[in-house]
Amino acid sequence: METPKARLALTIDERIDEPGNIARVRLRALDGAPLPPFTAGAHLDVHIRDADVDLWRQYSLCSDPAETAFYEIGVLRDPNSRGGSETLHRIVRTGGTLEVEGPKNHFPLNEAAPQSLLFGGGIGVTPMIAMARRLHALGQDFALHYCTRSREVTAFRDALAAAGLADAVVYHHDDDAATRLDLDAVLAEARDGVNVYVCGPQGFMDWVIGRAGAFGIDDACIHREFFSADVDVSGEAFEVVAERSGVTVSVGAEDTIAKALARAGVEVEVKCEEGVCGTCVTDVLDGEIDHRDHFLTADEREDGDQMCVCCSRARGKRLVLDL
């Protein structure tokens, strides 16, 4: 787990409204100083505050990792979200400021892979753009498969062309049979040792991950990042002991561990509330975990000694946490 990064107040240097209800937001230091470096696949935690909205959300960096003068993120305006993207689209204006934490990277690029296949679905293309920039700079073998509903809602075309990536990007559109992604054909031509990266809607990701596995690509070479997830936090009631705090709480059928602990005065930092960002990962001292997150790896789940308390639950009647 990475050491938490300090919070930064960044100025909104530019907002570019891309097709598909996506805002490309460029951020700089208030004093113009160089920003902390980041690696391809990294994201920022962005604090979204306006009126009664007070949320943290994660946005992948799509700018060049070699660039330290500014960061760029892409924000999809999603009316079905819990208010974060709608609020950002409303409040982000050139000259304003945003509070962020990071950069943080839970989706790192294997720069030594003999080949990299990048699959971005909709706004999930943003970390892939930074990866493509880095792989292009290294002269590595790669392709970026960018999937959208139609050409008319495909963002970042100008930015990708300006970065010299036009020849490395293959555009796929659901409404055009001639360009739809033939995933099996792409995977059938993959080189030995290929690394696959995927980010996008959950159904799209499940499809890519499943087919990559079916083609014999080792799970360790299939890299994924969920920007959101449907998560069911409900279940049977159970007890949670915060060992170091000496506090015991009951977690109800529709409750979460993090919320139950917070009511008892034991604060656990929570940001995404969907088990995708890893902020709330907590060590488990005793008890069996019902993992509901999309953050921990299969090996980490198998170890059974940590969990995402924003959404995961107990399989039995009791969990003891190192809190």
PDB file of all heavy atoms in Angstrom, residues 268-307:
ATOM      1  N   VAL A 268     -12.522   5.878   9.703  1.00  0.00           N
ATOM      2  CA  VAL A 268     -11.716   5.264   8.656  1.00  0.00           C
ATOM      3  C   VAL A 268     -11.897   6.114   7.410  1.00  0.00           C
ATOM      4  O   VAL A 268     -13.029   6.404   7.013  1.00  0.00           O
ATOM      5  CB  VAL A 268     -12.170   3.818   8.362  1.00  0.00           C
ATOM      6  CG1 VAL A 268     -11.293   3.205   7.264  1.00  0.00           C
ATOM      7  CG2 VAL A 268     -12.126   2.970   9.621  1.00  0.00           C
ATOM      8  N   GLU A 269     -10.798   6.538   6.802  1.00  0.00           N
ATOM      9  CA  GLU A 269     -10.918   7.377   5.609  1.00  0.00           C
ATOM     10  C   GLU A 269     -11.552   6.589   4.469  1.00  0.00           C
ATOM     11  O   GLU A 269     -11.104   5.494   4.130  1.00  0.00           O
ATOM     12  CB  GLU A 269      -9.551   7.905   5.184  1.00  0.00           C
ATOM     13  CG  GLU A 269      -9.648   8.923   4.059  1.00  0.00           C
ATOM     14  CD  GLU A 269      -8.305   9.538   3.693  1.00  0.00           C
ATOM     15  OE1 GLU A 269      -7.263   9.009   4.126  1.00  0.00           O
ATOM     16  OE2 GLU A 269      -8.321  10.551   2.958  1.00  0.00           O
ATOM     17  N   VAL A 270     -12.598   7.139   3.901  1.00  0.00           N
ATOM     18  CA  VAL A 270     -13.327   6.508   2.797  1.00  0.00           C
ATOM     19  C   VAL A 270     -13.468   7.538   1.685  1.00  0.00           C
ATOM     20  O   VAL A 270     -13.780   8.702   1.945  1.00  0.00           O
ATOM     21  CB  VAL A 270     -14.720   6.028   3.256  1.00  0.00           C
ATOM     22  CG1 VAL A 270     -15.543   5.545   2.068  1.00  0.00           C
ATOM     23  CG2 VAL A 270     -14.588   4.923   4.290  1.00  0.00           C
ATOM     24  N   LYS A 271     -13.256   7.097   0.449  1.00  0.00           N
ATOM     25  CA  LYS A 271     -13.379   8.027  -0.672  1.00  0.00           C
ATOM     26  C   LYS A 271     -14.358   7.544  -1.728  1.00  0.00           C
ATOM     27  O   LYS A 271     -15.355   8.184  -1.996  1.00  0.00           O
ATOM     28  CB  LYS A 271     -12.000   8.318  -1.268  1.00  0.00           C
ATOM     29  CG  LYS A 271     -11.169   9.205  -0.353  1.00  0.00           C
ATOM     30  CD  LYS A 271      -9.826   9.557  -0.926  1.00  0.00           C
ATOM     31  CE  LYS A 271      -9.102  10.535   0.021  1.00  0.00           C
ATOM     32  NZ  LYS A 271      -7.705  10.731  -0.378  1.00  0.00           N
ATOM     33  N   CYS A 272     -14.088   6.403  -2.354  1.00  0.00           N
ATOM     34  CA  CYS A 272     -14.945   5.997  -3.477  1.00  0.00           C
ATOM     35  C   CYS A 272     -16.269   5.394  -3.035  1.00  0.00           C
ATOM     36  O   CYS A 272     -17.264   5.482  -3.747  1.00  0.00           O
ATOM     37  CB  CYS A 272     -14.211   5.004  -4.370  1.00  0.00           C
ATOM     38  SG  CYS A 272     -14.052   3.338  -3.655  1.00  0.00           S
ATOM     39  N   GLU A 273     -16.303   4.723  -1.887  1.00  0.00           N
ATOM     40  CA  GLU A 273     -17.488   4.038  -1.344  1.00  0.00           C
ATOM     41  C   GLU A 273     -17.963   2.883  -2.227  1.00  0.00           C
ATOM     42  O   GLU A 273     -19.058   2.380  -2.053  1.00  0.00           O
ATOM     43  CB  GLU A 273     -18.648   5.028  -1.127  1.00  0.00           C
ATOM     44  CG  GLU A 273     -18.312   6.167  -0.194  1.00  0.00           C
ATOM     45  CD  GLU A 273     -19.443   7.172  -0.070  1.00  0.00           C
ATOM     46  OE1 GLU A 273     -20.351   6.921   0.737  1.00  0.00           O
ATOM     47  OE2 GLU A 273     -19.414   8.173  -0.805  1.00  0.00           O
ATOM     48  N   GLU A 274     -17.120   2.446  -3.157  1.00  0.00           N
ATOM     49  CA  GLU A 274     -17.486   1.378  -4.083  1.00  0.00           C
ATOM     50  C   GLU A 274     -16.447   0.259  -4.130  1.00  0.00           C
ATOM     51  O   GLU A 274     -16.529  -0.631  -4.959  1.00  0.00           O
ATOM     52  CB  GLU A 274     -17.672   1.939  -5.496  1.00  0.00           C
ATOM     53  CG  GLU A 274     -18.813   2.931  -5.621  1.00  0.00           C
ATOM     54  CD  GLU A 274     -18.920   3.494  -7.024  1.00  0.00           C
ATOM     55  OE1 GLU A 274     -17.879   3.605  -7.712  1.00  0.00           O
ATOM     56  OE2 GLU A 274     -20.040   3.811  -7.447  1.00  0.00           O
ATOM     57  N   GLY A 275     -15.426   0.343  -3.262  1.00  0.00           N
ATOM     58  CA  GLY A 275     -14.409  -0.697  -3.242  1.00  0.00           C
ATOM     59  C   GLY A 275     -13.506  -0.700  -4.456  1.00  0.00           C
ATOM     60  O   GLY A 275     -13.025  -1.766  -4.865  1.00  0.00           O
ATOM     61  N   VAL A 276     -13.229   0.484  -5.022  1.00  0.00           N
ATOM     62  CA  VAL A 276     -12.349   0.537  -6.191  1.00  0.00           C
ATOM     63  C   VAL A 276     -11.053   1.309  -5.948  1.00  0.00           C
ATOM     64  O   VAL A 276     -10.095   1.133  -6.694  1.00  0.00           O
ATOM     65  CB  VAL A 276     -13.071   1.128  -7.424  1.00  0.00           C
ATOM     66  CG1 VAL A 276     -14.233   0.249  -7.840  1.00  0.00           C
ATOM     67  CG2 VAL A 276     -13.524   2.551  -7.185  1.00  0.00           C
ATOM     68  N   CYS A 277     -10.998   2.163  -4.930  1.00  0.00           N
ATOM     69  CA  CYS A 277      -9.825   3.035  -4.779  1.00  0.00           C
ATOM     70  C   CYS A 277      -8.812   2.544  -3.764  1.00  0.00           C
ATOM     71  O   CYS A 277      -7.645   2.940  -3.809  1.00  0.00           O
ATOM     72  CB  CYS A 277     -10.262   4.458  -4.430  1.00  0.00           C
ATOM     73  SG  CYS A 277     -10.793   4.709  -2.717  1.00  0.00           S
ATOM     74  N   GLY A 278      -9.211   1.722  -2.812  1.00  0.00           N
ATOM     75  CA  GLY A 278      -8.277   1.177  -1.827  1.00  0.00           C
ATOM     76  C   GLY A 278      -7.983   2.060  -0.636  1.00  0.00           C
ATOM     77  O   GLY A 278      -7.210   1.678   0.247  1.00  0.00           O
ATOM     78  N   THR A 279      -8.611   3.243  -0.572  1.00  0.00           N
ATOM     79  CA  THR A 279      -8.324   4.163   0.528  1.00  0.00           C
ATOM     80  C   THR A 279      -8.650   3.559   1.890  1.00  0.00           C
ATOM     81  O   THR A 279      -7.927   3.772   2.865  1.00  0.00           O
ATOM     82  CB  THR A 279      -9.134   5.466   0.336  1.00  0.00           C
ATOM     83  OG1 THR A 279      -8.773   6.059  -0.912  1.00  0.00           O
ATOM     84  CG2 THR A 279      -8.861   6.456   1.459  1.00  0.00           C
ATOM     85  N   CYS A 280      -9.713   2.780   1.973  1.00  0.00           N
ATOM     86  CA  CYS A 280     -10.209   2.289   3.260  1.00  0.00           C
ATOM     87  C   CYS A 280      -9.684   0.898   3.620  1.00  0.00           C
ATOM     88  O   CYS A 280     -10.182   0.289   4.584  1.00  0.00           O
ATOM     89  CB  CYS A 280     -11.730   2.268   3.262  1.00  0.00           C
ATOM     90  SG  CYS A 280     -12.426   1.023   2.147  1.00  0.00           S
ATOM     91  N   VAL A 281      -8.710   0.384   2.893  1.00  0.00           N
ATOM     92  CA  VAL A 281      -8.200  -0.959   3.191  1.00  0.00           C
ATOM     93  C   VAL A 281      -7.683  -1.013   4.626  1.00  0.00           C
ATOM     94  O   VAL A 281      -6.910  -0.159   5.070  1.00  0.00           O
ATOM     95  CB  VAL A 281      -7.087  -1.363   2.208  1.00  0.00           C
ATOM     96  CG1 VAL A 281      -6.394  -2.641   2.670  1.00  0.00           C
ATOM     97  CG2 VAL A 281      -7.660  -1.572   0.807  1.00  0.00           C
ATOM     98  N   THR A 282      -8.152  -2.025   5.359  1.00  0.00           N
ATOM     99  CA  THR A 282      -7.875  -2.157   6.791  1.00  0.00           C
ATOM    100  C   THR A 282      -7.408  -3.573   7.092  1.00  0.00           C
ATOM    101  O   THR A 282      -7.904  -4.535   6.500  1.00  0.00           O
ATOM    102  CB  THR A 282      -9.160  -1.850   7.594  1.00  0.00           C
ATOM    103  OG1 THR A 282      -9.591  -0.521   7.299  1.00  0.00           O
ATOM    104  CG2 THR A 282      -8.926  -1.995   9.093  1.00  0.00           C
ATOM    105  N   ASP A 283      -6.454  -3.692   8.018  1.00  0.00           N
ATOM    106  CA  ASP A 283      -5.959  -5.010   8.410  1.00  0.00           C
ATOM    107  C   ASP A 283      -7.001  -5.734   9.255  1.00  0.00           C
ATOM    108  O   ASP A 283      -7.632  -5.139  10.145  1.00  0.00           O
ATOM    109  CB  ASP A 283      -4.661  -4.880   9.205  1.00  0.00           C
ATOM    110  CG  ASP A 283      -3.491  -4.437   8.345  1.00  0.00           C
ATOM    111  OD1 ASP A 283      -3.555  -4.650   7.116  1.00  0.00           O
ATOM    112  OD2 ASP A 283      -2.532  -3.869   8.878  1.00  0.00           O
ATOM    113  N   VAL A 284      -7.157  -7.030   8.977  1.00  0.00           N
ATOM    114  CA  VAL A 284      -8.115  -7.876   9.697  1.00  0.00           C
ATOM    115  C   VAL A 284      -7.325  -8.835  10.585  1.00  0.00           C
ATOM    116  O   VAL A 284      -6.462  -9.575  10.108  1.00  0.00           O
ATOM    117  CB  VAL A 284      -9.000  -8.665   8.710  1.00  0.00           C
ATOM    118  CG1 VAL A 284      -9.961  -9.576   9.462  1.00  0.00           C
ATOM    119  CG2 VAL A 284      -9.769  -7.703   7.809  1.00  0.00           C
ATOM    120  N   LEU A 285      -7.632  -8.825  11.871  1.00  0.00           N
ATOM    121  CA  LEU A 285      -6.925  -9.664  12.834  1.00  0.00           C
ATOM    122  C   LEU A 285      -7.596 -11.015  13.029  1.00  0.00           C
ATOM    123  O   LEU A 285      -6.937 -12.010  13.326  1.00  0.00           O
ATOM    124  CB  LEU A 285      -6.829  -8.943  14.182  1.00  0.00           C
ATOM    125  CG  LEU A 285      -6.147  -7.566  14.159  1.00  0.00           C
ATOM    126  CD1 LEU A 285      -6.189  -6.937  15.547  1.00  0.00           C
ATOM    127  CD2 LEU A 285      -4.710  -7.691  13.672  1.00  0.00           C
ATOM    128  N   ASP A 286      -8.921 -11.056  12.864  1.00  0.00           N
ATOM    129  CA  ASP A 286      -9.639 -12.321  13.072  1.00  0.00           C
ATOM    130  C   ASP A 286     -10.991 -12.238  12.361  1.00  0.00           C
ATOM    131  O   ASP A 286     -11.602 -11.173  12.263  1.00  0.00           O
ATOM    132  CB  ASP A 286      -9.856 -12.572  14.572  1.00  0.00           C
ATOM    133  CG  ASP A 286     -10.399 -13.973  14.828  1.00  0.00           C
ATOM    134  OD1 ASP A 286      -9.898 -14.927  14.220  1.00  0.00           O
ATOM    135  OD2 ASP A 286     -11.345 -14.102  15.629  1.00  0.00           O
ATOM    136  N   GLY A 287     -11.447 -13.381  11.862  1.00  0.00           N
ATOM    137  CA  GLY A 287     -12.744 -13.469  11.212  1.00  0.00           C
ATOM    138  C   GLY A 287     -12.613 -13.708   9.710  1.00  0.00           C
ATOM    139  O   GLY A 287     -11.569 -13.462   9.107  1.00  0.00           O
ATOM    140  N   GLU A 288     -13.707 -14.201   9.124  1.00  0.00           N
ATOM    141  CA  GLU A 288     -13.720 -14.510   7.693  1.00  0.00           C
ATOM    142  C   GLU A 288     -14.391 -13.378   6.933  1.00  0.00           C
ATOM    143  O   GLU A 288     -15.452 -12.887   7.324  1.00  0.00           O
ATOM    144  CB  GLU A 288     -14.469 -15.821   7.444  1.00  0.00           C
ATOM    145  CG  GLU A 288     -14.355 -16.322   6.025  1.00  0.00           C
ATOM    146  CD  GLU A 288     -15.031 -17.672   5.821  1.00  0.00           C
ATOM    147  OE1 GLU A 288     -15.580 -18.224   6.796  1.00  0.00           O
ATOM    148  OE2 GLU A 288     -15.011 -18.156   4.672  1.00  0.00           O
ATOM    149  N   ILE A 289     -13.776 -12.972   5.823  1.00  0.00           N
ATOM    150  CA  ILE A 289     -14.202 -11.782   5.082  1.00  0.00           C
ATOM    151  C   ILE A 289     -15.062 -12.161   3.877  1.00  0.00           C
ATOM    152  O   ILE A 289     -14.740 -13.096   3.141  1.00  0.00           O
ATOM    153  CB  ILE A 289     -12.968 -10.994   4.585  1.00  0.00           C
ATOM    154  CG1 ILE A 289     -12.017 -10.680   5.745  1.00  0.00           C
ATOM    155  CG2 ILE A 289     -13.394  -9.716   3.879  1.00  0.00           C
ATOM    156  CD1 ILE A 289     -10.625 -10.292   5.296  1.00  0.00           C
ATOM    157  N   ASP A 290     -16.118 -11.412   3.687  1.00  0.00           N
ATOM    158  CA  ASP A 290     -16.917 -11.494   2.465  1.00  0.00           C
ATOM    159  C   ASP A 290     -16.514 -10.304   1.600  1.00  0.00           C
ATOM    160  O   ASP A 290     -17.040  -9.205   1.737  1.00  0.00           O
ATOM    161  CB  ASP A 290     -18.411 -11.443   2.812  1.00  0.00           C
ATOM    162  CG  ASP A 290     -19.306 -11.491   1.576  1.00  0.00           C
ATOM    163  OD1 ASP A 290     -18.774 -11.670   0.466  1.00  0.00           O
ATOM    164  OD2 ASP A 290     -20.529 -11.347   1.734  1.00  0.00           O
ATOM    165  N   HIS A 291     -15.550 -10.533   0.692  1.00  0.00           N
ATOM    166  CA  HIS A 291     -15.017  -9.437  -0.127  1.00  0.00           C
ATOM    167  C   HIS A 291     -16.038  -8.999  -1.171  1.00  0.00           C
ATOM    168  O   HIS A 291     -16.543  -9.807  -1.944  1.00  0.00           O
ATOM    169  CB  HIS A 291     -13.726  -9.875  -0.821  1.00  0.00           C
ATOM    170  CG  HIS A 291     -12.579 -10.088   0.119  1.00  0.00           C
ATOM    171  ND1 HIS A 291     -11.910  -9.043   0.708  1.00  0.00           N
ATOM    172  CD2 HIS A 291     -11.975 -11.236   0.560  1.00  0.00           C
ATOM    173  CE1 HIS A 291     -10.934  -9.531   1.481  1.00  0.00           C
ATOM    174  NE2 HIS A 291     -10.967 -10.847   1.405  1.00  0.00           N
ATOM    175  N   ARG A 292     -16.324  -7.699  -1.207  1.00  0.00           N
ATOM    176  CA  ARG A 292     -17.236  -7.143  -2.209  1.00  0.00           C
ATOM    177  C   ARG A 292     -16.522  -6.113  -3.101  1.00  0.00           C
ATOM    178  O   ARG A 292     -17.154  -5.516  -3.966  1.00  0.00           O
ATOM    179  CB  ARG A 292     -18.411  -6.442  -1.517  1.00  0.00           C
ATOM    180  CG  ARG A 292     -19.146  -7.279  -0.468  1.00  0.00           C
ATOM    181  CD  ARG A 292     -20.089  -8.283  -1.087  1.00  0.00           C
ATOM    182  NE  ARG A 292     -20.828  -9.007  -0.073  1.00  0.00           N
ATOM    183  CZ  ARG A 292     -22.044  -8.674   0.365  1.00  0.00           C
ATOM    184  NH1 ARG A 292     -22.655  -7.602  -0.108  1.00  0.00           N
ATOM    185  NH2 ARG A 292     -22.662  -9.420   1.280  1.00  0.00           N
ATOM    186  N   ASP A 293     -15.240  -5.893  -2.885  1.00  0.00           N
ATOM    187  CA  ASP A 293     -14.509  -4.827  -3.576  1.00  0.00           C
ATOM    188  C   ASP A 293     -13.969  -5.286  -4.928  1.00  0.00           C
ATOM    189  O   ASP A 293     -14.010  -6.468  -5.280  1.00  0.00           O
ATOM    190  CB  ASP A 293     -13.327  -4.366  -2.710  1.00  0.00           C
ATOM    191  CG  ASP A 293     -12.268  -5.458  -2.591  1.00  0.00           C
ATOM    192  OD1 ASP A 293     -12.452  -6.397  -1.808  1.00  0.00           O
ATOM    193  OD2 ASP A 293     -11.262  -5.379  -3.331  1.00  0.00           O
ATOM    194  N   HIS A 294     -13.433  -4.315  -5.673  1.00  0.00           N
ATOM    195  CA  HIS A 294     -12.743  -4.579  -6.936  1.00  0.00           C
ATOM    196  C   HIS A 294     -11.303  -4.086  -6.856  1.00  0.00           C
ATOM    197  O   HIS A 294     -10.678  -3.832  -7.894  1.00  0.00           O
ATOM    198  CB  HIS A 294     -13.451  -3.879  -8.087  1.00  0.00           C
ATOM    199  CG  HIS A 294     -14.790  -4.457  -8.401  1.00  0.00           C
ATOM    200  ND1 HIS A 294     -14.966  -5.533  -9.227  1.00  0.00           N
ATOM    201  CD2 HIS A 294     -16.032  -4.109  -7.982  1.00  0.00           C
ATOM    202  CE1 HIS A 294     -16.245  -5.828  -9.330  1.00  0.00           C
ATOM    203  NE2 HIS A 294     -16.915  -4.972  -8.564  1.00  0.00           N
ATOM    204  N   PHE A 295     -10.784  -3.942  -5.656  1.00  0.00           N
ATOM    205  CA  PHE A 295      -9.446  -3.377  -5.488  1.00  0.00           C
ATOM    206  C   PHE A 295      -8.401  -4.435  -5.152  1.00  0.00           C
ATOM    207  O   PHE A 295      -7.339  -4.484  -5.763  1.00  0.00           O
ATOM    208  CB  PHE A 295      -9.459  -2.298  -4.393  1.00  0.00           C
ATOM    209  CG  PHE A 295      -8.098  -1.707  -4.131  1.00  0.00           C
ATOM    210  CD1 PHE A 295      -7.591  -0.745  -4.989  1.00  0.00           C
ATOM    211  CD2 PHE A 295      -7.336  -2.124  -3.051  1.00  0.00           C
ATOM    212  CE1 PHE A 295      -6.321  -0.212  -4.769  1.00  0.00           C
ATOM    213  CE2 PHE A 295      -6.079  -1.590  -2.827  1.00  0.00           C
ATOM    214  CZ  PHE A 295      -5.568  -0.631  -3.685  1.00  0.00           C
ATOM    215  N   LEU A 296      -8.682  -5.272  -4.163  1.00  0.00           N
ATOM    216  CA  LEU A 296      -7.705  -6.273  -3.740  1.00  0.00           C
ATOM    217  C   LEU A 296      -7.509  -7.338  -4.812  1.00  0.00           C
ATOM    218  O   LEU A 296      -8.440  -7.706  -5.526  1.00  0.00           O
ATOM    219  CB  LEU A 296      -8.161  -6.932  -2.434  1.00  0.00           C
ATOM    220  CG  LEU A 296      -8.254  -6.028  -1.202  1.00  0.00           C
ATOM    221  CD1 LEU A 296      -8.836  -6.799  -0.023  1.00  0.00           C
ATOM    222  CD2 LEU A 296      -6.894  -5.447  -0.839  1.00  0.00           C
ATOM    223  N   THR A 297      -6.288  -7.832  -4.916  1.00  0.00           N
ATOM    224  CA  THR A 297      -6.000  -8.905  -5.864  1.00  0.00           C
ATOM    225  C   THR A 297      -6.517 -10.231  -5.317  1.00  0.00           C
ATOM    226  O   THR A 297      -6.841 -10.359  -4.121  1.00  0.00           O
ATOM    227  CB  THR A 297      -4.497  -9.026  -6.110  1.00  0.00           C
ATOM    228  OG1 THR A 297      -3.847  -9.444  -4.894  1.00  0.00           O
ATOM    229  CG2 THR A 297      -3.904  -7.687  -6.579  1.00  0.00           C
ATOM    230  N   ALA A 298      -6.553 -11.243  -6.181  1.00  0.00           N
ATOM    231  CA  ALA A 298      -6.994 -12.572  -5.746  1.00  0.00           C
ATOM    232  C   ALA A 298      -6.093 -13.100  -4.644  1.00  0.00           C
ATOM    233  O   ALA A 298      -6.563 -13.725  -3.676  1.00  0.00           O
ATOM    234  CB  ALA A 298      -7.008 -13.526  -6.943  1.00  0.00           C
ATOM    235  N   ASP A 299      -4.789 -12.873  -4.755  1.00  0.00           N
ATOM    236  CA  ASP A 299      -3.853 -13.344  -3.719  1.00  0.00           C
ATOM    237  C   ASP A 299      -4.097 -12.621  -2.402  1.00  0.00           C
ATOM    238  O   ASP A 299      -4.039 -13.237  -1.328  1.00  0.00           O
ATOM    239  CB  ASP A 299      -2.409 -13.126  -4.170  1.00  0.00           C
ATOM    240  CG  ASP A 299      -1.981 -14.107  -5.260  1.00  0.00           C
ATOM    241  OD1 ASP A 299      -2.676 -15.130  -5.443  1.00  0.00           O
ATOM    242  OD2 ASP A 299      -0.962 -13.844  -5.927  1.00  0.00           O
ATOM    243  N   GLU A 300      -4.354 -11.319  -2.459  1.00  0.00           N
ATOM    244  CA  GLU A 300      -4.611 -10.555  -1.237  1.00  0.00           C
ATOM    245  C   GLU A 300      -5.900 -11.017  -0.572  1.00  0.00           C
ATOM    246  O   GLU A 300      -5.976 -11.100   0.663  1.00  0.00           O
ATOM    247  CB  GLU A 300      -4.664  -9.064  -1.559  1.00  0.00           C
ATOM    248  CG  GLU A 300      -3.305  -8.466  -1.885  1.00  0.00           C
ATOM    249  CD  GLU A 300      -3.388  -7.064  -2.441  1.00  0.00           C
ATOM    250  OE1 GLU A 300      -4.451  -6.703  -3.011  1.00  0.00           O
ATOM    251  OE2 GLU A 300      -2.395  -6.322  -2.316  1.00  0.00           O
ATOM    252  N   ARG A 301      -6.897 -11.323  -1.369  1.00  0.00           N
ATOM    253  CA  ARG A 301      -8.141 -11.851  -0.800  1.00  0.00           C
ATOM    254  C   ARG A 301      -7.898 -13.211  -0.151  1.00  0.00           C
ATOM    255  O   ARG A 301      -8.430 -13.503   0.927  1.00  0.00           O
ATOM    256  CB  ARG A 301      -9.207 -11.977  -1.892  1.00  0.00           C
ATOM    257  CG  ARG A 301      -9.709 -10.651  -2.414  1.00  0.00           C
ATOM    258  CD  ARG A 301     -10.808 -10.882  -3.424  1.00  0.00           C
ATOM    259  NE  ARG A 301     -11.383  -9.612  -3.883  1.00  0.00           N
ATOM    260  CZ  ARG A 301     -12.583  -9.490  -4.401  1.00  0.00           C
ATOM    261  NH1 ARG A 301     -13.359 -10.555  -4.537  1.00  0.00           N
ATOM    262  NH2 ARG A 301     -13.033  -8.325  -4.802  1.00  0.00           N
ATOM    263  N   GLU A 302      -7.116 -14.032  -0.817  1.00  0.00           N
ATOM    264  CA  GLU A 302      -6.825 -15.371  -0.298  1.00  0.00           C
ATOM    265  C   GLU A 302      -6.103 -15.299   1.044  1.00  0.00           C
ATOM    266  O   GLU A 302      -6.333 -16.118   1.934  1.00  0.00           O
ATOM    267  CB  GLU A 302      -5.981 -16.139  -1.312  1.00  0.00           C
ATOM    268  CG  GLU A 302      -5.697 -17.591  -0.941  1.00  0.00           C
ATOM    269  CD  GLU A 302      -6.934 -18.469  -0.979  1.00  0.00           C
ATOM    270  OE1 GLU A 302      -7.893 -18.135  -1.713  1.00  0.00           O
ATOM    271  OE2 GLU A 302      -6.943 -19.484  -0.262  1.00  0.00           O
ATOM    272  N   ASP A 303      -5.232 -14.304   1.212  1.00  0.00           N
ATOM    273  CA  ASP A 303      -4.511 -14.141   2.484  1.00  0.00           C
ATOM    274  C   ASP A 303      -5.476 -13.881   3.634  1.00  0.00           C
ATOM    275  O   ASP A 303      -5.209 -14.268   4.775  1.00  0.00           O
ATOM    276  CB  ASP A 303      -3.510 -12.984   2.383  1.00  0.00           C
ATOM    277  CG  ASP A 303      -2.320 -13.311   1.493  1.00  0.00           C
ATOM    278  OD1 ASP A 303      -2.088 -14.517   1.238  1.00  0.00           O
ATOM    279  OD2 ASP A 303      -1.643 -12.375   1.042  1.00  0.00           O
ATOM    280  N   GLY A 304      -6.577 -13.195   3.370  1.00  0.00           N
ATOM    281  CA  GLY A 304      -7.617 -12.990   4.372  1.00  0.00           C
ATOM    282  C   GLY A 304      -7.243 -12.075   5.518  1.00  0.00           C
ATOM    283  O   GLY A 304      -7.839 -12.159   6.592  1.00  0.00           O
ATOM    284  N   ASP A 305      -6.272 -11.169   5.298  1.00  0.00           N
ATOM    285  CA  ASP A 305      -5.833 -10.314   6.403  1.00  0.00           C
ATOM    286  C   ASP A 305      -6.046  -8.826   6.137  1.00  0.00           C
ATOM    287  O   ASP A 305      -5.542  -7.988   6.874  1.00  0.00           O
ATOM    288  CB  ASP A 305      -4.366 -10.580   6.739  1.00  0.00           C
ATOM    289  CG  ASP A 305      -3.427 -10.349   5.556  1.00  0.00           C
ATOM    290  OD1 ASP A 305      -3.914  -9.954   4.475  1.00  0.00           O
ATOM    291  OD2 ASP A 305      -2.209 -10.575   5.719  1.00  0.00           O
ATOM    292  N   GLN A 306      -6.802  -8.492   5.089  1.00  0.00           N
ATOM    293  CA  GLN A 306      -7.158  -7.088   4.861  1.00  0.00           C
ATOM    294  C   GLN A 306      -8.447  -7.026   4.052  1.00  0.00           C
ATOM    295  O   GLN A 306      -8.803  -7.964   3.340  1.00  0.00           O
ATOM    296  CB  GLN A 306      -6.031  -6.327   4.158  1.00  0.00           C
ATOM    297  CG  GLN A 306      -5.540  -6.933   2.875  1.00  0.00           C
ATOM    298  CD  GLN A 306      -4.362  -6.167   2.293  1.00  0.00           C
ATOM    299  OE1 GLN A 306      -4.169  -4.972   2.553  1.00  0.00           O
ATOM    300  NE2 GLN A 306      -3.557  -6.835   1.488  1.00  0.00           N
ATOM    301  N   MET A 307      -9.125  -5.884   4.175  1.00  0.00           N
ATOM    302  CA  MET A 307     -10.419  -5.747   3.510  1.00  0.00           C
ATOM    303  C   MET A 307     -10.733  -4.278   3.263  1.00  0.00           C
ATOM    304  O   MET A 307     -10.169  -3.385   3.912  1.00  0.00           O
ATOM    305  CB  MET A 307     -11.537  -6.368   4.354  1.00  0.00           C
ATOM    306  CG  MET A 307     -11.847  -5.601   5.632  1.00  0.00           C
ATOM    307  SD  MET A 307     -13.098  -6.411   6.673  1.00  0.00           S
ATOM    308  CE  MET A 307     -14.519  -6.451   5.584  1.00  0.00           C
TER     309      MET A 307
END
